[in-house]
Amino acid sequence: MQLAPLYPIVYKILQPLFPSCLWAGTSESRTIALTFDDGPHPQYTIELLQVLDHYNIKASFFWLGACVERAPSVAQAVYQRDHWIGLHGYYHHSFPLLSPEALQQSLAKTQEAIRAALATATDDTKACYFDPDNIRDVRPPNGLFTPQTLSLLHQWNYRPVMWSVVPEDWERPGIDVVVQRVLRQVRNGSLIVLHDGYYGGPDVAETTAQLIPRLLQQGYDFITIDQLWQRSPV
């Protein structure tokens, strides 16, 4: 059962209830953030990077620690292009089902996997505004969290990141369907979620290749999660 039509309603309900999360940027600026979950993937992420390179777009990636360890060279490729990086947990386990100790360990292991993967990634041309040793942005898998989850994330100095546009691409309803869902929902400040992992990843490069030029034609500028925080009402 596809839930895509419900996500805009869920967003409108949850966003005012949990204002300490980043749900979107300011509506006064024609800027949006393109984000990708569940990677890095040795094929799908590389194909996606080619599209982002072509349009010179900076995106944000929320990684699973286990995937980083399987594809460290892909993690380096993302980092060397100055894309923003956040945590998605070590495995794709729902945060509310984990004990506080297990959740903290999952995030720490993911941070360590990223640090190890990027340790040899050096490039003097990088902007160097991203610190791989201090990743603060966290997106809960499946968008599931509780007030306790958020309290723990804040206690550990993480920044919870959610979404405002979720086209449910992991169900692979078809590239055209995903593109149209995004175009119908996008607004100033939108935070768009796509997936470059095992679910949704086979279509992500083509989906992104169709979305970017249409969004550019509508006058949107693409920014990273860090920049969206700076322009957010949070």
Side-chain angles (χ1 to χ4, degrees), residues 47-48 51 175-176 179 201-212:
E47 294 172 349
L48 172 61
V51 176
I175 292 171
D176 289 343
V179 169
D203 296 335
V204 70
E206 181 58 30
T207 298
T208 306
Q210 292 193 26
L211 271 175
I212 289 177

Side-chain angles (χ1 to χ4, degrees), residues 44-225:
Y44 309 144
T45 304
I46 292 298
E47 294 172 349
L48 172 61
L49 287 177
Q50 294 172 354
V51 176
L52 297 174
D53 286 350
H54 177 76
Y55 289 100
N56 193 28
I57 296 296
K58 300 302 180 189
S60 302
F61 291 79
F62 289 85
W63 282 343
L64 297 171
C67 292
V68 173
E69 291 181 348
R70 285 195 290 263
S73 62
V74 181
Q76 290 184 18
V78 173
Y79 171 67
Q80 289 172 329
R81 286 165 170 78
D82 279 328
H83 297 295
W84 195 252
I85 299 169
L87 308 177
H88 202 42
Y90 188 80
Y91 296 116
H92 202 273
H93 293 162
S94 294
F95 287 177
L97 300 181
L98 300 176
S99 68
E101 294 77 14
L103 175 56
Q104 189 173 30
Q105 183 181 32
S106 173
L107 296 174
K109 283 182 64 178
T110 305
Q111 171 78 73
E112 179 55 37
I114 295 172
R115 183 185 296 113
L118 303 185
T120 59
T122 57
D123 186 343
D124 293 338
T125 66
K126 278 183 56 59
C128 295
Y129 69 98
F130 174 78
D131 180 5
D133 295 326
N134 185 31
I135 300 176
R136 297 178 57 203
D137 292 318
V138 176
R139 173 176 283 149
N142 302 314
L144 298 178
F145 63 90
T146 65
Q148 181 191 27
T149 305
L150 298 184
S151 177
L152 290 170
L153 292 178
H154 289 301
Q155 177 183 327
W156 299 329
N157 200 32
Y158 291 117
R159 304 189 298 188
V161 177
M162 300 305 292
W163 35 258
S164 63
V165 178
V166 186
E168 207 176 22
D169 60 320
W170 64 87
E171 291 285 354
R172 299 192 69 191
I175 292 171
D176 289 343
V177 171
V178 173
V179 169
Q180 289 306 314
R181 286 174 177 172
V182 173
L183 294 178
R184 282 196 300 269
Q185 297 178 36
V186 71
R187 302 288 187 275
N188 287 0
S190 284
L191 205 169
I192 303 167
V193 179
L194 296 172
H195 295 76
D196 61 328
Y198 288 92
Y199 297 95
D203 296 335
V204 70
E206 181 58 30
T207 298
T208 306
Q210 292 193 26
L211 271 175
I212 289 177
R214 298 189 193 188
L215 293 170
L216 289 173
Q217 288 174 0
Q218 294 182 22
Y220 289 109
D221 292 324
F222 292 83
I223 61 177
T224 64
I225 286 296

